[in-house]
Amino acid sequence: MQAIQTFSLKKYFYNGEYEVRAVDKVNLSVEEGEFVAIMGNSGSGKSTLLNLLGGLDEATEGEILIRGESLRGMEREERTIFRRRNIGFVFQQYNLVTSLSVYENIVLPLCLDGLAPDEAFLNHLVELLKIGDKLYEMPERLSGGQQQRAAIARALITHPAIVLADEPTGNLDSATSMEVAGLLKTCARQFDQTVIMVTHDKTVARTADRILLMKDGVVQVADDVLSTKDGVVQVADDVLTTKDGVVQVADDVLSKEDGLAHASDDILPMEDVQ
Amino acid sequence: MMKAVRMLAKGMAKQNRGRAIVLAAAVALGILVLSTVFGISAGKVEAEELREIRANRTCAVTTLARATVEQYWKIKSLPYIQAVGRKYGAGSTLIYDAAGARDGDDGEALSCVFTCLDKTAWEEMTTPAYTGIEGHYPQEEGEIMLSIRALAALGMERPQMGQAISLKIQLGPFMEIEETFTLCGWFTDYVDLSAFPLQGYVSEAQVQKWGKSLDEPDELLIVQNDTLDAYELEERLNQDVTMRDKSQSFVTNDTFRSRAVNGLAGGYEMAALCGALILLCVFLLVYNVLRISMQKEVRQIGLLDTLGTTQKQIRRIYQCQIGRIVAVGGVIGVGASAMVGMVVLPYVVGGMYLYHYGQRTELTVWRPGLVVAAACFTALVVEWATYLIIRKATRLTPLEAMRYQGEARRGGKLKRHGGKSGRHVGTKVIRRGSRQYVFHMAWRNLWRERRKFLLTAFSLFLGVVTVLVAEIIVRGTDYANVIEAEPDFAIGIECKNDGMEIPYVYEEYAPIREELKGRILSLEGVKADSVEALYGAFVIVDYAQEAFWPRNDALLSDGDYENALWRTYRKPEGEEGEPGFPDPAVVQIVDDDYLDKLERYVQENGLTADVDAVRRGEGVLFLHEGAWSEELREEADAQCGINVTFWNFLTKTEEEWHKRASMSVKAIQEQESNGIWSAYPLAGESHVSAYLDTRAKGFPQVETLSYDMVLPYFLISERGFEKLNVEKKMLSCQFDVEESYEEAAKAGIKEMIRAENEENASRVQDKKYGIDTLPNLFVRCKSDVLAEEQSYIRTNRSLFSFLGAALLLMGVMNYANVMVTGLFARRRELNTLERVGMTARQIRAMVTWEGAMYCGIVGALVLGVGNGMFYLVRWYMEQNVPHFWFYYPWDGMAVVFLLLAVVCAGVPRACFWGRKRDEKKMGANV
């Protein structure tokens, strides 16, 4: 089943006489349980797309279906509750409520719905995220990585179908970044959740099942893999290298499985290409 | 769900202690200021009202004499009438003052009147005028209730309930009965006994026994709604109630409460405006505190929204927090109000308001109801401000809210400079010195958050302007103005007991003889050019003349039966009947300036009056201050131009001769010389050019002797007076004295007046044959009155200073809150500025400039908009308060601006120092 579908999604901003096309005619389809990374330069529209998917912003045109349910036409209150129950958010700035303890932050979305936390799940989650001993600390006493883990726990506590992560590793060092990205992926796999992650970091992006590249508001095939020059499709240097006079394909591009060579999802992400 | 709300509310409250303290302080201050301002104002109004009630023995200011039962019920049913009571006159007696009696003397004869009141008239209209009411209002026949002073005059210093009192009651001109009463109660009254008689009450049964019908009261006592002024009330009553005859009319006045409100603020409108200003100040303070403190929480609201918190939940979170703050602030505010109202203010006001009219404890400043209302209003304001701010935050999309950076204007365009072709497109580079740059930055800092800046400046402006307007009103309506407007000395005649009517005098009598005037003017320090005198004469008139008919009818309406019986009969219409009795009147000369004013008044109001005839010396103006019915007024207008004849008084010798002559001799003489009128030398005739009601709205004020509706009072021009064969006399005079000679002049003048009164008394020593008494001269010294009222004036001023300070404090608190929170929020920015090379001195200068700009804009607003408001207040007050004296608040403005400059520049500097100190401390800790 499709977790997310967008149809000709547009988000235009008007600044006096100028029109800025932050998201332009995006048709996107994400399977349930899929982990998708969106990459792109600053201003390419990736965060805007994420905000549209999360119902935080209104599209200028087009439609978004979350598990088959359209966001269009939902009242604000309805959308808030929909978001609370179906979408988890992870932000670059962690955005923990500073006045609440880690535990309170994690269980907040449940409490807002009048639900008691599933203690077993909570324990499992915090153990997985390695913040079991920090539950009663205040956020400002945690490191960045710990805060982000707490934010991930908060995003996952309601068993949302979709987790939207906006630069979740943007404020973290590379080791912690990989750790957090790994945790995101692990959780998504374990709890069968769809994750869409916006990132600048190629290494982090590679943890995703699929990489989408955005440029000028349009989703493209990752141009660090294939690009066009003088009408000829070019393969990125780090994909094909020469070693001892032999052209090598990078390990993360083609892997061997069951005796067959498989192309990595981020190289050939589009279904029709496959 | 509530758990989450409580959890968040608790967490946020813990995190926002600073805001909670400021907000709780604002709430407490709001309650304190509101309850104190309105408590003092209401207390003052109530006390002034009570003074008036006590000075007049009733709170009913509107009356209708000879009312019918139908009129009573009709008036009672009118929506603008609060209460109607019935009053029956039940005779009077003379009590020889046993308390003041000396050996072998009966004591001074004091008149004591007896009245019967119905339940409403007694309980609602009369008891507020008394204190120490003991016993009960007379219910049974033979029961009597007397004032403590009447009892004292009767020699009953320690009255006993049930004590028998025997009195001779005068029930009419020819009817006196002796009755033994049982004392059923007493009370303490506060009226001036030189103007009012002693008072006693009897029961309805007693009145019935004396043959009076309870169906027809002598007078209806009416209390109208406070907002209705005398003119409007009279008009509405005349529309709604049918008069029994043309002589019946309402006597209307403004209520004591409305007079007290006018005295305080010039009227209900101004009081409401002042109230609204104060409420607005409180609103702005609370709103600004909340708005500023909530700014950083908009992002938090955005986050909560993103996480799935509904708007309702967000509102609840903040309402929980604010509710707790309001509760804490409310308790503090109510406690502080109670403290101020019960301890501080009574101490400050001392024995002010009921000065001479009862105990000081009766001034209530602490009003729990008012404090509760203030607390409710403040809570509502906070609730409203919270709602506005949360609504604003929740109107943003979660995304906008999370990215919220304050209220700085977003999306501003860069100005393009360059030629028409646009070849040189770009921002203009303005070269500035470092000082100008600092100044420019300070301005940019304020302007980028212009809404906050303007709102705070407006709040400060309101605080300042309210203080200054309060000063204008307070100083303008200060009782000292009334006294100061008077000349240093005023000399006039004093009429005993009835206080109003001029008694008979000798022809040669002059209130202020020329010789006395000369002696006064020769005193050292007396400013001869300041002397203002009333000239005219006392004359004899015949009330039976047609010119007096409207006045006679009006007397009947007033229920003054004694005068009606003796003095107001008419000659049968169209017949030459018997002349009436010789009665006194006053003819006072007025100058052309006054006649010009009067002419304008007559024209503006479309009245029937031939002022020109007066100017030409062919007419007189008949003044009256009794309420005449519409029909009577029309009748009077119709007979304008009618003749009136004046006679001279008899000389002392003639008067004594007449008294000595036996009735038979007199009768012979009267027959021989066409009645008693032949004895009075004819002074001349004139025409009545107008009948003018001196209490009418807009009537040009004229200085006169005090008189009532019984005494006819005429105004005449100098030319007209010359045509009369009457000696011109000085009726009263007033003058100023150089300050340094005032004390000596006062002693000299008082001595002269004493000697003059003694001489007058000696002239009437032979009371049996001649005039009983001549009017006493009095001297009124402004300095004495000022000294007497000093405590009242001082306390009044100090109360208003207190109010002004409280209002200003709110404005200052608002400003301080803005500056402190603003600088706190900008500390990162200030650090950055320091890192990029701005010196601490420059930063200090920048924040000081920011403060100075607040001061500047508030100053400009006060001088611009505020000035307009001052003159608007002046116009309003001058329309409503006759003794209002406009003072431009220069001194108040100077003080306020100085304070403002100190606060505006001082607060940011103090914050800056605080920031540096904190940084140093942190550095040391590291």
Side-chain angles (χ1 to χ4, degrees):
Chain A
M1 189 187 176
Q2 306 293 329
I4 300 171
Q5 280 179 293
T6 67
F7 302 99
S8 195
L9 192 65
K10 290 181 191 172
K11 178 69 184 179
Y12 295 172
F13 296 105
Y14 299 92
N15 186 5
E17 61 221 72
Y18 306 110
E19 183 185 74
V20 179
R21 299 181 172 197
V23 173
D24 196 16
K25 296 178 196 162
V26 170
N27 292 302
L28 182 66
S29 184
V30 181
E31 290 286 329
E32 271 192 358
E34 198 178 357
F35 190 146
V36 177
I38 303 175
M39 289 188 71
N41 294 330
S42 290
S44 60
K46 52 191 189 302
S47 288
T48 308
L49 175 62
L50 201 72
N51 292 330
L52 290 172
L53 297 178
L56 298 178
D57 208 351
E58 296 238 23
T60 311
E61 225 179 281
E63 189 152 16
I64 304 167
L65 298 181
I66 305 285
R67 304 177 86 191
E69 201 168 334
S70 173
L71 292 184
R72 184 175 285 274
M74 272 192 193
E75 289 296 317
R76 184 167 177 172
E77 185 90 352
E78 210 180 333
R79 192 185 297 178
T80 304
I81 294 168
F82 179 82
R83 192 162 56 229
R84 183 160 76 201
R85 292 178 183 164
N86 295 284
I87 304 169
F89 283 93
V90 182
F91 304 95
Q92 179 180 3
Q93 302 289 347
Y94 329 131
N95 281 350
L96 295 174
V97 180
T98 50
S99 56
L100 302 182
S101 68
V102 171
Y103 174 82
E104 287 168 331
N105 264 289
I106 295 171
V107 300
L108 181 63
L110 287 172
C111 293
L112 288 171
D113 230 355
L115 301 170
D118 174 349
E119 289 298 329
F121 177 63
L122 177 69
N123 287 336
H124 177 61
L125 196 59
V126 296
E127 285 312 314
L128 189 69
L129 293 165
K130 298 176 194 161
I131 49 169
D133 57 336
K134 304 288 180 191
L135 283 184
Y136 299 101
E137 299 279 359
M138 294 308 281
E140 74 263 18
R141 298 180 71 89
L142 304 186
S143 68
Q146 288 167 332
Q147 286 194 48
Q148 195 58 294
R149 283 191 207 122
I152 294 169
R154 183 181 62 188
L156 301 177
I157 192 74
T158 54
H159 301 285
I162 295 158
V163 175
L164 301 177
D166 190 359
E167 301 268 10
T169 59
N171 277 1
L172 304 173
D173 59 61
S174 52
T176 318
S177 292
M178 285 312 293
E179 197 183 338
V180 166
L183 279 170
L184 256 179
K185 182 157 187 173
T186 308
C187 292
R189 286 270 183 272
Q190 211 168 97
F191 308 122
D192 198 25
Q193 282 158 325
T194 306
V195 179
I196 297 186
M197 177 175 70
V198 164
T199 183
H200 271 109
D201 190 333
K202 285 178 188 169
T203 321
V204 171
R206 282 186 183 132
T207 58
D209 298 333
R210 181 156 55 120
I211 298 174
L212 300 179
L213 185 75
M214 281 198 81
K215 192 176 178 187
D216 299 332
V218 180
V219 174
Q220 299 180 329
V221 176
D223 61 359
D224 58 345
V225 180
L226 295 175
S227 58
T228 308
K229 193 177 177 186
D230 303 329
V232 179
V233 174
Q234 307 274 319
V235 179
D237 289 347
D238 60 345
V239 176
L240 296 176
T241 53
T242 308
K243 196 179 174 187
D244 303 330
V246 179
V247 174
Q248 306 273 320
V249 178
D251 288 349
D252 56 349
V253 175
L254 287 177
S255 59
K256 226 174 188 180
E257 205 177 320
D258 305 330
L260 294 170
H262 288 265
S264 159
D265 285 349
D266 59 350
I267 303 289
L268 296 171
M270 311 302 281
E271 283 176 2
D272 48 352
V273 175
Q274 284 176 339
Chain B
M1 269 183 281
M2 278 313 288
K3 189 185 165 194
V5 169
R6 272 199 299 271
M7 187 171 79
L8 280 162
K10 201 175 153 189
M12 286 179 180
K14 212 184 284 177
Q15 205 177 31
N16 289 313
R17 283 225 174 91
R19 178 184 70 183
I21 290 169
V22 175
L23 207 52
V27 168
L29 188 71
I31 295 171
L32 177 66
V33 171
L34 283 179
S35 58
T36 309
V37 168
F38 287 104
I40 289 175
S41 308
K44 187 176 185 303
V45 166
E46 192 182 82
E48 296 283 4
E49 182 189 13
L50 205 54
R51 269 165 63 100
E52 288 290 324
I53 291 172
R54 290 190 177 171
N56 290 281
R57 263 197 194 126
T58 179
C59 62
V61 284
T62 299
T63 56
L64 178 66
R66 300 186 299 116
T68 61
V69 177
E70 292 74 31
Q71 285 174 327
Y72 169 72
W73 288 109
K74 177 68 190 171
I75 295 167
K76 212 173 161 69
S77 71
L78 295 173
Y80 50 90
I81 298 298
Q82 286 180 7
V84 187
R86 286 169 294 185
K87 177 183 169 187
Y88 304 90
S92 63
T93 191
L94 274 182
I95 297 175
Y96 290 91
D97 187 8
R102 282 167 292 186
D103 291 341
D105 188 358
D106 285 343
E108 192 184 352
L110 300 172
S111 172
C112 179
V113 297
F114 297 99
T115 312
C116 169
L117 302 173
D118 70 3
K119 197 166 181 271
T120 311
W122 169 248
E123 287 180 358
E124 292 180 32
M125 300 174 181
T126 310
T127 52
Y130 301 142
T131 58
I133 300 173
E134 296 289 337
H136 64 266
Y137 187 83
Q139 303 292 330
E140 309 291 332
E141 193 183 304
E143 283 187 331
I144 195 168
M145 190 180 206
L146 285 164
S147 72
I148 286 285
R149 289 194 285 187
L151 288 167
L154 285 166
M156 297 164 70
E157 294 292 345
R158 289 183 183 173
Q160 298 290 319
M161 218 58 84
Q163 203 169 344
I165 300 172
S166 199
L167 294 167
K168 278 183 184 167
I169 309 288
Q170 193 81 36
L171 294 176
F174 305 108
M175 192 178 171
E176 188 179 77
I177 56 160
E178 189 157 359
E179 191 97 31
T180 302
F181 296 95
T182 308
L183 188 64
C184 68
W186 58 83
F187 54 86
T188 305
D189 64 352
Y190 299 92
V191 295
D192 177 4
L193 284 185
S194 67
F196 285 86
L198 295 166
Q199 180 70 53
Y201 295 99
V202 293
S203 65
E204 284 187 10
Q206 187 68 53
V207 170
Q208 265 179 318
K209 182 191 163 192
W210 286 337
K212 283 219 169 193
S213 161
L214 292 179
D215 290 339
E216 206 167 279
D218 291 333
E219 204 168 48
L220 284 187
L221 304 177
I222 302 164
V223 179
Q224 74 266 26
N225 287 348
D226 293 317
T227 46
L228 218 57
D229 72 24
Y231 305 107
E232 203 181 337
L233 176 71
E234 190 181 352
E235 202 179 314
R236 291 182 71 171
L237 282 171
N238 283 334
Q239 274 170 10
D240 295 334
V241 183
T242 313
M243 295 289 105
R244 65 187 294 173
D245 55 44
K246 69 176 178 183
S247 67
Q248 194 186 27
S249 69
F250 286 98
V251 176
T252 60
N253 278 297
D254 295 340
T255 63
F256 293 133
R257 177 161 293 244
S258 116
R259 284 188 224 173
V261 171
N262 288 358
L264 178 76
Y268 282 100
E269 299 89 345
M270 186 55 81
L273 183 71
C274 288
L277 268 180
I278 294 162
L279 297 182
L280 188 60
C281 282
V282 174
F283 176 81
L284 281 178
L285 172 63
V286 173
Y287 180 74
N288 231 0
V289 170
L290 261 175
R291 200 179 55 84
I292 294 163
S293 65
M294 293 281 281
Q295 256 180 25
K296 64 175 182 179
E297 295 197 20
V298 174
R299 289 194 289 274
Q300 185 111 304
I301 289 173
L303 171 65
L304 290 173
D305 197 351
T306 306
L307 295 176
T309 318
T310 60
Q311 290 184 43
K312 206 169 156 187
Q313 286 173 322
I314 291 171
R315 269 201 295 275
R316 271 201 209 135
I317 291 165
Y318 283 94
Q319 275 161 353
C320 274
Q321 282 184 72
I322 299 298
R324 205 168 294 162
I325 292 167
V326 168
V328 172
V331 168
I332 297 169
V334 169
S337 302
M339 179 85 168
V340 170
M342 289 198 283
V343 183
V344 182
L345 281 175
Y347 177 75
V348 174
V349 296
M352 170 189 183
Y353 290 122
L354 295 181
Y355 184 60
H356 295 328
Y357 290 94
Q359 295 93 0
R360 67 182 65 172
T361 49
E362 288 171 66
L363 169 68
T364 322
V365 177
W366 161 245
R367 290 154 193 271
L370 205 60
V371 177
V372 169
C376 289
F377 171 79
T378 314
L380 270 176
V381 162
V382 175
E383 192 64 30
W384 177 243
T386 313
Y387 168 75
L388 288 181
I389 286 156
I390 292 175
R391 191 186 63 164
K392 190 178 160 194
T394 49
R395 268 183 178 179
L396 299 172
T397 66
L399 205 62
E400 285 169 330
M402 282 174 74
R403 289 174 182 168
Y404 190 73
Q405 293 293 327
E407 291 185 339
R409 206 164 72 106
R410 284 155 295 186
K413 288 181 194 170
L414 291 176
K415 277 185 189 167
R416 289 185 173 197
H417 299 272
K420 283 178 190 170
S421 60
R423 275 175 295 170
H424 308 289
V425 176
T427 52
K428 188 179 178 183
V429 177
I430 302 164
R431 290 188 186 281
R432 292 187 174 95
S434 65
R435 281 188 186 170
Q436 287 101 313
Y437 194 74
V438 166
F439 177 84
H440 176 70
M441 278 190 75
W443 173 246
R444 290 285 297 268
N445 287 339
L446 295 180
W447 200 238
R448 70 180 172 180
E449 289 187 83
R450 64 193 69 171
R451 201 165 158 203
K452 182 173 88 179
F453 169 54
L454 293 176
L455 206 65
T456 310
F458 181 63
S459 166
L460 258 181
F461 161 71
L462 267 189
V464 169
V465 102
T466 312
V467 168
L468 295 176
V469 164
E471 193 201 342
I472 291 172
I473 294 175
V474 171
R475 290 185 67 180
T477 56
D478 196 335
Y479 187 49
N481 293 342
V482 183
I483 303 168
E484 287 290 356
E486 299 291 322
D488 292 344
F489 291 91
I491 298 173
I493 50 172
E494 185 183 69
C495 306
K496 279 204 155 186
N497 282 337
D498 57 1
M500 295 290 180
E501 195 185 350
I502 307 244
Y504 288 84
V505 292
Y506 298 122
E507 199 280 325
E508 58 266 51
Y509 168 78
I512 301 169
R513 292 179 294 118
E514 283 300 317
E515 186 265 337
L516 175 68
K517 181 191 163 192
R519 276 194 290 144
I520 290 170
L521 287 182
S522 67
L523 283 171
E524 207 167 13
V526 172
K527 295 177 186 169
D529 55 348
S530 69
V531 178
E532 282 179 24
L534 297 186
Y535 287 96
F538 299 121
V539 290
I540 290 287
V541 289
D542 176 8
Y543 292 173
Q545 280 184 297
E546 207 174 336
F548 294 93
W549 288 3
R551 168 253 181 208
N552 297 348
D553 286 337
L555 273 183
L556 268 171
S557 141
D558 191 46
D560 189 347
Y561 299 120
E562 195 174 333
N563 278 303
L565 279 168
W566 283 91
R567 293 170 167 165
T568 64
Y569 77 85
R570 299 167 169 213
K571 292 173 194 171
E573 281 182 50
E575 287 180 28
E576 285 291 319
E578 284 295 313
F581 293 86
D583 271 304
V586 178
V587 179
Q588 182 187 314
I589 301 167
V590 285
D591 58 17
D592 283 349
D593 286 347
Y594 181 74
L595 290 175
D596 291 344
K597 270 193 247 172
L598 198 69
E599 191 158 35
R600 276 198 296 278
Y601 162 73
V602 164
Q603 280 166 0
E604 280 163 15
N605 292 279
L607 302 175
T608 310
D610 187 0
V611 181
D612 211 36
V614 182
R615 212 179 268 122
R616 291 195 306 271
E618 290 162 11
V620 289
L621 298 163
F622 193 125
L623 299 188
H624 65 90
E625 60 173 8
W628 288 12
S629 67
E630 197 59 45
E631 209 176 330
L632 266 184
R633 275 180 234 167
E634 281 168 16
E635 191 181 288
D637 286 347
Q639 65 178 43
C640 276
I642 199 163
N643 267 10
V644 59
T645 311
F646 301 109
W647 287 268
N648 276 306
F649 274 90
L650 296 178
T651 62
K652 184 170 187 280
T653 321
E654 285 168 346
E655 186 74 38
E656 284 174 3
W657 183 86
H658 272 271
K659 285 261 169 103
R660 280 201 174 91
S662 67
M663 285 306 292
S664 57
V665 173
K666 277 174 81 180
I668 294 162
Q669 270 205 335
E670 278 165 20
Q671 273 181 346
E672 283 175 356
S673 56
N674 196 19
I676 57 167
W677 290 98
S678 61
Y680 293 94
L682 187 69
E685 281 188 348
S686 191
H687 303 286
V688 177
S689 298
Y691 292 87
L692 295 169
D693 183 357
T694 53
R695 293 194 315 173
K697 205 171 193 173
F699 182 81
Q701 281 192 326
V702 58
E703 195 75 38
T704 61
L705 296 177
S706 60
Y707 66 99
D708 70 352
M709 62 194 299
V710 176
L711 181 77
Y713 208 99
F714 296 94
L715 296 184
I716 194 167
S717 65
E718 188 80 48
R719 194 178 289 178
F721 194 85
E722 279 167 10
K723 287 185 181 173
L724 295 177
N725 180 27
V726 182
E727 194 185 333
K728 182 174 161 184
K729 285 161 186 169
M730 189 187 274
L731 305 177
S732 72
C733 78
Q734 49 193 35
F735 52 89
D736 291 331
V737 172
E738 280 171 34
E739 211 175 329
S740 52
Y741 294 99
E742 196 176 323
E743 281 307 308
K746 192 196 295 181
I749 292 165
K750 280 185 175 173
E751 179 51 33
M752 283 181 209
I753 299 299
R754 191 195 57 75
E756 189 72 9
N757 283 337
E758 264 182 19
E759 199 180 323
N760 274 342
S762 70
R763 283 160 71 190
V764 291
Q765 263 177 358
D766 194 358
K767 290 181 184 175
K768 197 173 173 186
Y769 302 110
I771 284 167
D772 291 351
T773 178
L774 286 173
N776 267 332
L777 270 181
F778 72 84
V779 58
R780 203 183 66 91
C781 312
K782 186 165 79 180
S783 56
D784 288 351
V785 182
L786 267 175
E788 200 176 315
E789 301 291 337
Q790 201 52 47
S791 138
Y792 176 85
I793 294 165
R794 198 171 42 235
T795 318
N796 212 3
R797 286 176 183 167
S798 62
L799 277 179
F800 277 101
S801 309
F802 185 86
L803 297 188
L807 293 174
L808 192 61
L809 181 66
M810 280 205 299
V812 168
M813 194 169 157
N814 202 350
Y815 167 77
N817 169 54
V818 168
M819 284 315 271
V820 173
T821 50
L823 286 174
F824 186 74
R826 282 165 53 202
R827 62 192 187 285
R828 187 184 287 175
E829 176 193 315
L830 295 179
N831 284 337
T832 310
L833 285 172
E834 211 165 354
R835 279 187 201 127
V836 299
M838 200 167 187
T839 63
R841 199 174 158 183
Q842 283 174 320
I843 294 177
R844 200 169 56 227
M846 184 180 75
V847 295
T848 310
W849 267 121
E850 287 176 23
M853 281 169 190
Y854 269 106
C855 186
I857 196 158
V858 172
L861 277 172
V862 170
L863 292 173
V865 183
N867 246 330
M869 286 170 77
F870 299 158
Y871 284 99
L872 213 63
V873 168
R874 176 189 182 168
W875 172 81
Y876 176 84
M877 296 300 286
E878 281 174 349
Q879 298 292 312
N880 291 281
V881 183
H883 67 265
F884 181 77
W885 197 332
F886 179 72
Y887 291 93
Y888 192 86
W890 287 115
D891 45 357
M893 213 184 255
V895 171
V896 167
F897 278 168
L898 191 67
L899 188 71
L900 202 65
V902 170
V903 171
C904 285
V907 169
R909 282 185 90 102
C911 289
F912 183 77
W913 283 325
R915 171 181 160 265
K916 296 304 291 180
R917 197 191 54 212
D918 289 348
E919 278 173 6
K920 271 184 194 164
K921 210 185 280 177
M922 281 167 70
N925 289 342
V926 169

